[in-house]
Amino acid sequence: MRVLITGATGLVGQEIVKLCHVKNIQVNYLTTRKSKLSQSDNYKGFYWNIDTREIDINCFKDVDAIIHLAGASISKRWTESYKTEVINSRVESTQLLIDTLKGESHSIKQIVSASAIGIYPDSLVNYYDQTHKEDSDSFLGEVVQAWEKAVDGFSKLNIKVSKVRIGLVLSDSGGALKEIVKPIKLGAGAAFGSGKQWQSWIHIYDLARTFLFVLESGLEGIYNGVAPNPVTNAELTKTAAKVLKKPLFLPNIPKFMMKLVLGEMHIILFESQRVSSKEIENKGFKFKFHHLKPALEDLLD
């Protein structure tokens, strides 16, 4: 099997590439940096430029499926111009792939696209699965709606469409966990706001396995990329402190303070989405990390 991966050099992409190589799946990847083009048989790089709508069509050669992860990071201050970039990077990269494939004969049967649980409305009481119809009216909700709608365009090319709505990704090589543990390591850790907001997390290893499980099982539709046991923000902070053997003395950090520091992006820390992983488990997927403490011990020890 050969897959084409967009966003292969990002946090999640690197983990998926690693797992592909373990499973003898060959990888083509798209990159915007010509200096990053590798040409080994199981890891071949191809150039694309979303702004100029340039793409090396050789990237599709002998490819059975696409794993689509490309998109500008949401962990940067959300100015109006950056918000446009966040949406466009997802929608236009998707459109470029679709438009290029329209005129080509190809062997692609499926696309597995990243998405996000930010589409579910902020709630302390709801327990969301992928059938939930009401979308969040936040900026993240807007991003995911535009992204998923663009990805649906692949179905017009007779390509199976699957989406993985990703939660809080826990990794030891970057992403949110590093930022969460920084103050805890300094003895200055604290929960955000009430600390009651739900965090639907997933260990990066299980997330990479989710993408390949959806791909190898030929599953269509929407799956939540979250572990089976979401926790509150207070529990996440407390468990991380326990694993790091650090005390937690401080009162919770008020919302207005983080709004001053981060602007609109502060909602990432305060929104609450308790999300179900049942759909993928019902298909036979088994998580290695079900509970937060073993996941954090694996990543922080």
Side-chain angles (χ1 to χ4, degrees), residues 150-219:
V151 173
D152 285 338
F154 279 95
S155 56
K156 292 196 176 81
L157 305 176
N158 291 324
I159 293 172
K160 243 189 246 179
V161 175
S162 330
K163 300 164 199 157
V164 178
R165 288 179 176 167
I166 301 173
L168 176 71
V169 181
L170 302 182
S171 161
D172 55 1
S173 27
L177 185 60
K178 271 199 164 160
E179 302 310 313
I180 291 165
V181 300
K182 238 182 237 170
I184 297 172
K185 282 179 173 172
L186 299 170
F192 291 106
S194 70
K196 290 176 183 170
Q197 65 275 33
W198 289 98
Q199 313 254 227
S200 295
W201 59 275
I202 187 166
H203 189 296
I204 191 152
Y205 175 66
D206 278 336
L207 181 59
R209 287 177 58 238
T210 300
F211 271 87
L212 289 185
F213 181 82
V214 169
L215 184 63
E216 292 180 308
S217 313
L219 301 179

Side-chain angles (χ1 to χ4, degrees), residues 64-81:
D64 303 286
I66 299 172
I67 294 177
H68 185 31
L69 310 165
S73 166
I74 56 156
S75 310
K76 267 174 76 173
R77 196 175 251 280
W78 297 350
T79 59
E80 284 311 309
S81 67

